[in-house]
Amino acid sequence: MTPSRLLFRPVVWLALGAVVATSTPARAERVPLKTGETVLGKLINEKSNENVVVIEDYVSGGQREFVWEAVSDEDARRIKIILGILDSSANEMVKGELIVFRLNAGSGEVRGIVEKTENGVIHLRNVSQKEPLRIAQTDVISREPIELDPQDVWSLAEVVERRLAANPPQDARSWMQHAQFCERVGAYEQAKEAYDTVSTDETFLQRELARTSSVRMAALIADKSSFEELRDLRVSMGANLWKKVREGVESFLTRHPEASDPVKKKLEDLKVEFTKRRTTYFAGQAGAALEKVVRRAIELKVRPKDAVFNDVQAWIRKDVIEESFEALLKQLQARDPAVTAEETKSFFEARPKKANGWRRASYDSGSFLIEPAKIKPPSGQPKQGPGTKKGSNNSGPAVVIPVPKPPTRDTWWETATGEIRTKFWWATFVEKAALYETQPKHDRIACTACDAAGKLTKLGTAGASLEYLCPRCGGSQYDQVVVYR
C-alpha cells in the first residue's frame, strides 16, 4: 500500500462518518420495552401495523420488530398515534355533570350534559332520553362535574356526525383515523366505508392494513344485531337499570350462540364496565342513604316523651348498626335485587371521601354530658346593690333570688325536644360506631344561652344580683361538634 493510500483512508472514513452523522434524523423515537430496554431509532411506517412496530435501530444499524405487547402501554399508544395506527381522539371523553335530585320517594341521580338552564329548569342531555331531561333547580340536591363517554350522551349516529363535523378527513391518513374512531365506538358500517376509501389510495403506505380492516368490519357487520343489543344494554347501564343489564349480559350467549369473537370481546368489556360502574353508583348512594336511615331510626326511637335515656343508649351501642344496614340493604335492592348484605357494607366503606367533604354532627345542648363543665358553681350569695349597707337595721329580711339550676342528665332528657335528642344521639352514633372517619378534636360552638361564659347573672330587688351556672350548658360553655366523613 502506498503512502498516499495510507493517508487517504482516514480522510475517507472521516468523510463517511460526517455523511452518516448528517443523515441521521434530528429527532429519534424512543421505544421503551417492558423488559427495561429502550430502543432508539427511526419508526418504519410501512412495515408497522396493528400487530407489530418496526424500528431501525441506530445502535445496531438493523431493523427490529416488536409486538405491541412488548412495548410499555403508555408509549405504545403514543407511537401508534405517530404511525397513524391509532386515532388520538379515539378515547376522548366529554365534560358532563352528575346531578342528584329529589324524587317523591327519595332521590335520584342522572348523568349527562347540561344544554341550558332556563326559567329555573336544567335541561340535561343523555342518550337514554330522546328529549333533554328537565330538572327544576329547586329539586337539585348536588351537582358534580364528571367525564362521560360520548356514547353516554348521544346516539351512535350523532357521535360519528359530531366527529366528522369537528375533524373532517382531508387525506388518507385522516380517513384512516376516522375509520379507527368509528370502529372503536361500534359504527362498523361507517368504519368499513372509511377503510375502503383509504384502501383506494395507492400512495398511502398502510392501504393493506385498511383492506384487512375493511374485511374485519364486514364480519362485524354480520353480527349487527348482537352489537346493537350490547349497545342497548350499555344505554340501560347509563340509566342505572342494573337488573336489566345483568339479566341481558347473563343470557346473551344463550340468545346468540353463534356470536363471533369480536362480539364476545365486547360482551366481556361490558361485564367489566358493568361491575365498575355498579360499584361506583352504589358506593355513591350508600353513604348518604345510611345517614338518612340512621337519623330516621333515631328520631323514631327518641320522639316519644316516655323514651328512656338508658334504653336509647343500649340500642345505639348494640342494635342500631345491624338494623340500619338491613334497612339500607332493602333500599339498594329496590334498585338492584341482586345486592347482598356483604355488598351493602362494602359499598358503604367505598363511599367517596372528598378532601372538602367533612360534615358536622352536634351534641347540641347535651354537650355538657360529653365535655364536663370547667366553670365552678358560684358561691350562691347575692351581691348587695350600691344602695344597701351591710348590717343595716333597715335592710329587712334577706332577699331570696330564685335562679335556675344547672342541668342534669335526667332533667335535660326530660325537657329536650325530639330534634335535640336526635342530634345528640346522631353525634354519639357518628363518634362511637367506628363507621366514619372522624377528626380527633371536636369543633366547638359557643353556648347560645351564655355565649361561652358558662354562667349568668340575675338581678333582684334593691340591686342585688346573683351569679349561677348556665342552665343550658351547666358551665361547659360550648356545644361539642363531631367532624366526620
Side-chain angles (χ1 to χ4, degrees), residues 306-352:
D306 59 352
V308 178
F309 185 97
N310 287 339
D311 292 345
V312 177
Q313 185 177 54
W315 174 73
I316 287 285
R317 290 176 176 175
K318 183 179 179 182
D319 300 324
V320 69
I321 293 180
E322 183 177 350
E323 292 177 7
S324 298
F325 271 105
E326 287 177 357
L328 177 60
L329 173 60
K330 291 179 180 178
Q331 284 192 18
L332 300 187
Q333 285 180 334
R335 302 173 185 180
D336 181 3
V339 174
T340 65
E342 291 73 18
E343 280 186 316
T344 301
K345 293 180 180 179
S346 65
F347 290 147
F348 178 78
E349 291 170 358
R351 69 193 182 280

Coordinates of all heavy atoms in Angstrom, one line a residue, residues 306-352:
D306 N -91.9 9.4 76.7 CA -91.6 8.5 77.8 C -90.4 7.6 77.4 O -90.0 6.6 78.0 CB -92.7 7.5 78.1 CG -93.2 6.8 76.8 OD1 -92.8 7.1 75.7 OD2 -94.1 5.9 77.0
A307 N -89.7 8.0 76.3 CA -88.4 7.3 75.9 C -87.4 7.4 77.0 O -87.2 8.5 77.6 CB -87.9 7.8 74.6
V308 N -86.7 6.3 77.3 CA -85.8 6.3 78.4 C -84.4 6.4 77.9 O -84.0 5.7 77.0 CB -85.9 5.0 79.3 CG1 -84.9 4.9 80.4 CG2 -87.4 4.9 79.8
F309 N -83.6 7.3 78.5 CA -82.2 7.6 78.1 C -81.4 6.3 78.0 O -80.7 6.0 77.0 CB -81.6 8.6 79.0 CG -80.2 9.0 78.6 CD1 -80.0 10.2 78.0 CD2 -79.1 8.3 79.0 CE1 -78.7 10.6 77.6 CE2 -77.8 8.7 78.6 CZ -77.6 9.9 77.9
N310 N -81.4 5.5 79.1 CA -80.6 4.3 79.1 C -81.0 3.3 78.1 O -80.2 2.6 77.5 CB -80.7 3.6 80.5 CG -79.9 4.4 81.6 OD1 -79.1 5.2 81.3 ND2 -80.3 4.2 82.8
D311 N -82.3 3.2 77.8 CA -82.8 2.3 76.7 C -82.2 2.7 75.3 O -81.8 1.9 74.6 CB -84.3 2.3 76.7 CG -84.9 1.6 77.9 OD1 -84.1 0.9 78.7 OD2 -86.1 1.8 78.1
V312 N -82.3 4.0 75.1 CA -81.7 4.5 73.8 C -80.2 4.3 73.7 O -79.7 3.9 72.7 CB -82.1 6.0 73.6 CG1 -81.5 6.5 72.3 CG2 -83.6 6.2 73.7
Q313 N -79.5 4.5 74.8 CA -78.1 4.3 74.8 C -77.7 2.8 74.5 O -76.8 2.6 73.8 CB -77.6 4.7 76.2 CG -76.0 4.7 76.3 CD -75.6 5.2 77.7 OE1 -76.0 4.7 78.7 NE2 -74.7 6.1 77.7
A314 N -78.5 1.9 75.1 CA -78.2 0.5 74.9 C -78.5 0.1 73.5 O -77.8 -0.7 72.8 CB -79.0 -0.4 75.8
W315 N -79.5 0.7 72.9 CA -79.9 0.4 71.5 C -78.8 1.0 70.5 O -78.4 0.3 69.6 CB -81.2 1.1 71.2 CG -81.7 1.0 69.8 CD1 -82.2 -0.1 69.1 CD2 -81.8 2.1 68.9 NE1 -82.5 0.3 67.8 CE2 -82.3 1.7 67.7 CE3 -81.4 3.5 69.0 CZ2 -82.4 2.5 66.5 CZ3 -81.6 4.3 67.9 CH2 -82.1 3.8 66.7
I316 N -78.3 2.2 70.8 CA -77.3 2.8 70.0 C -76.0 1.9 70.0 O -75.4 1.7 69.0 CB -76.9 4.2 70.5 CG1 -78.1 5.2 70.1 CG2 -75.6 4.7 69.9 CD1 -78.1 5.6 68.7
R317 N -75.7 1.4 71.2 CA -74.5 0.6 71.3 C -74.6 -0.8 70.7 O -73.6 -1.3 70.2 CB -74.1 0.4 72.8 CG -73.7 1.7 73.5 CD -73.4 1.4 75.0 NE -72.9 2.6 75.7 CZ -72.7 2.7 77.0 NH1 -73.0 1.7 77.8 NH2 -72.2 3.8 77.5
K318 N -75.8 -1.4 70.7 CA -75.9 -2.8 70.3 C -76.6 -3.0 69.0 O -76.1 -3.8 68.1 CB -76.6 -3.5 71.4 CG -76.7 -5.0 71.2 CD -77.4 -5.7 72.4 CE -77.5 -7.2 72.1 NZ -78.2 -7.9 73.2
D319 N -77.7 -2.4 68.8 CA -78.6 -2.9 67.7 C -78.7 -1.9 66.5 O -79.1 -2.4 65.4 CB -80.0 -3.0 68.3 CG -80.1 -4.1 69.4 OD1 -79.4 -5.1 69.3 OD2 -80.9 -3.9 70.3
V320 N -78.4 -0.7 66.6 CA -78.7 0.3 65.6 C -78.0 0.0 64.3 O -78.5 0.2 63.2 CB -78.5 1.7 66.1 CG1 -77.1 2.0 66.3 CG2 -79.2 2.7 65.1
I321 N -76.7 -0.4 64.4 CA -75.9 -0.7 63.2 C -76.5 -1.8 62.3 O -76.7 -1.6 61.1 CB -74.4 -1.0 63.5 CG1 -73.8 0.2 64.1 CG2 -73.7 -1.5 62.3 CD1 -72.3 0.0 64.5
E322 N -76.8 -2.9 63.0 CA -77.4 -4.0 62.3 C -78.7 -3.7 61.6 O -79.0 -4.0 60.5 CB -77.5 -5.2 63.2 CG -78.0 -6.5 62.5 CD -78.1 -7.7 63.4 OE1 -77.6 -7.6 64.6 OE2 -78.7 -8.7 63.0
E323 N -79.6 -3.0 62.4 CA -80.9 -2.7 61.9 C -80.8 -1.7 60.7 O -81.5 -1.8 59.8 CB -81.7 -2.0 63.0 CG -82.1 -3.0 64.1 CD -82.9 -2.3 65.3 OE1 -83.2 -1.1 65.1 OE2 -83.1 -3.0 66.3
S324 N -79.9 -0.7 60.8 CA -79.7 0.3 59.8 C -79.2 -0.3 58.5 O -79.6 0.0 57.4 CB -78.8 1.4 60.3 OG -79.4 2.0 61.4
F325 N -78.2 -1.2 58.6 CA -77.7 -1.9 57.4 C -78.8 -2.8 56.7 O -78.8 -2.9 55.5 CB -76.4 -2.6 57.7 CG -75.2 -1.8 57.5 CD1 -74.5 -1.4 58.7 CD2 -74.7 -1.4 56.3 CE1 -73.4 -0.6 58.5 CE2 -73.6 -0.7 56.1 CZ -72.9 -0.2 57.3
E326 N -79.6 -3.4 57.6 CA -80.7 -4.1 57.0 C -81.7 -3.2 56.2 O -82.1 -3.6 55.1 CB -81.5 -4.9 58.1 CG -80.7 -6.0 58.7 CD -81.5 -6.7 59.8 OE1 -82.6 -6.2 60.2 OE2 -81.0 -7.7 60.4
A327 N -82.0 -2.1 56.8 CA -82.8 -1.1 56.1 C -82.2 -0.6 54.8 O -82.8 -0.4 53.8 CB -83.2 0.0 57.0
L328 N -80.9 -0.3 54.9 CA -80.1 0.2 53.7 C -80.1 -0.9 52.6 O -80.3 -0.6 51.4 CB -78.7 0.5 54.1 CG -77.8 1.0 52.9 CD1 -78.3 2.2 52.3 CD2 -76.3 1.2 53.5
L329 N -79.9 -2.2 53.0 CA -80.0 -3.3 52.0 C -81.3 -3.3 51.2 O -81.3 -3.4 50.0 CB -79.8 -4.6 52.7 CG -80.0 -5.9 51.9 CD1 -78.9 -5.9 50.8 CD2 -79.8 -7.1 52.8
K330 N -82.4 -3.1 51.9 CA -83.7 -3.1 51.3 C -83.8 -1.9 50.3 O -84.3 -2.1 49.2 CB -84.8 -3.0 52.3 CG -85.0 -4.3 53.2 CD -86.1 -4.1 54.2 CE -86.2 -5.4 55.0 NZ -87.3 -5.2 56.1
Q331 N -83.2 -0.8 50.7 CA -83.3 0.4 49.7 C -82.4 0.1 48.5 O -82.9 0.4 47.4 CB -82.7 1.6 50.4 CG -83.6 2.3 51.4 CD -83.1 3.6 51.9 OE1 -82.3 4.2 51.2 NE2 -83.7 4.1 53.0
L332 N -81.3 -0.5 48.6 CA -80.4 -0.8 47.5 C -81.0 -1.9 46.6 O -80.9 -1.8 45.4 CB -79.0 -1.1 47.9 CG -78.2 -0.1 48.8 CD1 -76.8 -0.5 49.0 CD2 -78.3 1.3 48.1
Q333 N -81.6 -2.8 47.3 CA -82.3 -3.9 46.5 C -83.4 -3.4 45.7 O -83.8 -4.1 44.7 CB -82.7 -5.0 47.4 CG -81.5 -5.9 47.9 CD -82.0 -7.0 48.9 OE1 -83.0 -6.9 49.5 NE2 -81.2 -8.1 49.0
A334 N -84.0 -2.3 46.1 CA -85.1 -1.7 45.2 C -84.6 -1.3 43.9 O -85.3 -1.2 42.9 CB -85.8 -0.6 46.0
R335 N -83.3 -1.0 43.9 CA -82.6 -0.5 42.6 C -81.9 -1.7 41.9 O -81.7 -1.6 40.7 CB -81.6 0.6 42.9 CG -82.3 1.8 43.6 CD -81.4 2.8 44.1 NE -82.1 3.9 44.8 CZ -81.5 5.0 45.3 NH1 -80.2 5.1 45.2 NH2 -82.3 5.9 45.9
D336 N -81.5 -2.7 42.7 CA -80.9 -3.9 42.1 C -81.1 -5.1 43.1 O -80.5 -5.1 44.1 CB -79.4 -3.7 41.9 CG -78.8 -5.0 41.2 OD1 -79.5 -5.9 40.9 OD2 -77.6 -4.9 41.0
P337 N -82.1 -5.9 42.8 CA -82.4 -7.0 43.7 C -81.2 -7.9 44.0 O -81.2 -8.7 45.0 CB -83.5 -7.8 43.0 CG -84.1 -6.8 42.0 CD -83.0 -6.0 41.6
A338 N -80.1 -7.9 43.2 CA -79.0 -8.8 43.4 C -78.0 -8.3 44.5 O -77.1 -8.9 44.9 CB -78.3 -9.0 42.1
V339 N -78.3 -7.0 45.0 CA -77.4 -6.5 46.1 C -77.4 -7.4 47.3 O -78.5 -7.7 47.8 CB -77.7 -5.1 46.4 CG1 -76.9 -4.6 47.6 CG2 -77.5 -4.2 45.2
T340 N -76.3 -7.8 47.9 CA -76.2 -8.6 49.0 C -75.9 -7.8 50.3 O -75.5 -6.6 50.2 CB -75.2 -9.7 48.9 OG1 -73.9 -9.1 48.8 CG2 -75.4 -10.5 47.6
A341 N -76.0 -8.4 51.4 CA -75.7 -7.7 52.7 C -74.2 -7.4 52.7 O -73.8 -6.3 53.2 CB -76.1 -8.6 53.9
E342 N -73.4 -8.3 52.2 CA -71.9 -8.1 52.2 C -71.6 -6.9 51.3 O -70.7 -6.1 51.6 CB -71.2 -9.3 51.8 CG -71.2 -10.5 52.8 CD -72.6 -11.2 52.8 OE1 -73.4 -11.0 51.9 OE2 -72.8 -11.9 53.8
E343 N -72.2 -6.9 50.2 CA -72.0 -5.8 49.2 C -72.4 -4.5 49.8 O -71.8 -3.4 49.6 CB -72.8 -6.0 47.9 CG -72.1 -7.0 47.0 CD -72.9 -7.0 45.6 OE1 -74.1 -7.1 45.7 OE2 -72.2 -7.0 44.6
T344 N -73.5 -4.5 50.6 CA -74.0 -3.2 51.2 C -73.0 -2.6 52.1 O -72.7 -1.4 52.0 CB -75.3 -3.5 52.0 OG1 -76.3 -4.0 51.1 CG2 -75.8 -2.2 52.6
K345 N -72.3 -3.4 52.9 CA -71.3 -2.9 53.7 C -70.0 -2.5 53.0 O -69.4 -1.4 53.3 CB -70.9 -4.0 54.8 CG -72.0 -4.3 55.8 CD -71.6 -5.4 56.8 CE -72.7 -5.6 57.7 NZ -72.4 -6.7 58.7
S346 N -69.7 -3.2 51.9 CA -68.5 -2.8 51.1 C -68.8 -1.5 50.3 O -67.9 -0.7 50.1 CB -68.1 -3.9 50.1 OG -69.2 -4.2 49.2
F347 N -70.1 -1.4 49.9 CA -70.4 -0.1 49.2 C -70.3 1.1 50.1 O -69.8 2.1 49.8 CB -71.9 -0.2 48.7 CG -72.1 -1.1 47.5 CD1 -73.3 -1.8 47.4 CD2 -71.1 -1.3 46.6 CE1 -73.5 -2.7 46.3 CE2 -71.3 -2.2 45.5 CZ -72.5 -2.9 45.4
F348 N -70.7 0.9 51.4 CA -70.6 2.0 52.3 C -69.1 2.3 52.6 O -68.8 3.5 52.7 CB -71.3 1.6 53.7 CG -71.2 2.7 54.7 CD1 -72.0 3.9 54.6 CD2 -70.3 2.6 55.7 CE1 -71.9 4.9 55.6 CE2 -70.1 3.6 56.7 CZ -70.9 4.7 56.6
E349 N -68.3 1.3 52.8 CA -66.9 1.5 53.0 C -66.2 2.2 51.8 O -65.2 2.9 52.0 CB -66.2 0.2 53.3 CG -66.6 -0.4 54.7 CD -66.1 -1.8 54.9 OE1 -65.5 -2.4 53.9 OE2 -66.4 -2.4 55.9
A350 N -66.7 2.0 50.6 CA -66.1 2.5 49.4 C -66.7 3.9 49.1 O -66.4 4.4 48.0 CB -66.3 1.6 48.2
R351 N -67.6 4.5 49.9 CA -68.2 5.7 49.7 C -67.2 6.8 49.4 O -66.1 6.8 49.9 CB -69.1 6.2 50.8 CG -68.4 6.5 52.1 CD -69.3 6.6 53.3 NE -68.6 7.0 54.5 CZ -67.8 6.2 55.2 NH1 -67.7 4.9 54.9 NH2 -67.2 6.7 56.3
P352 N -67.5 7.8 48.5 CA -66.5 8.8 48.2 C -66.2 9.6 49.4 O -67.0 10.0 50.2 CB -67.2 9.7 47.1 CG -68.3 8.8 46.6 CD -68.7 7.9 47.7

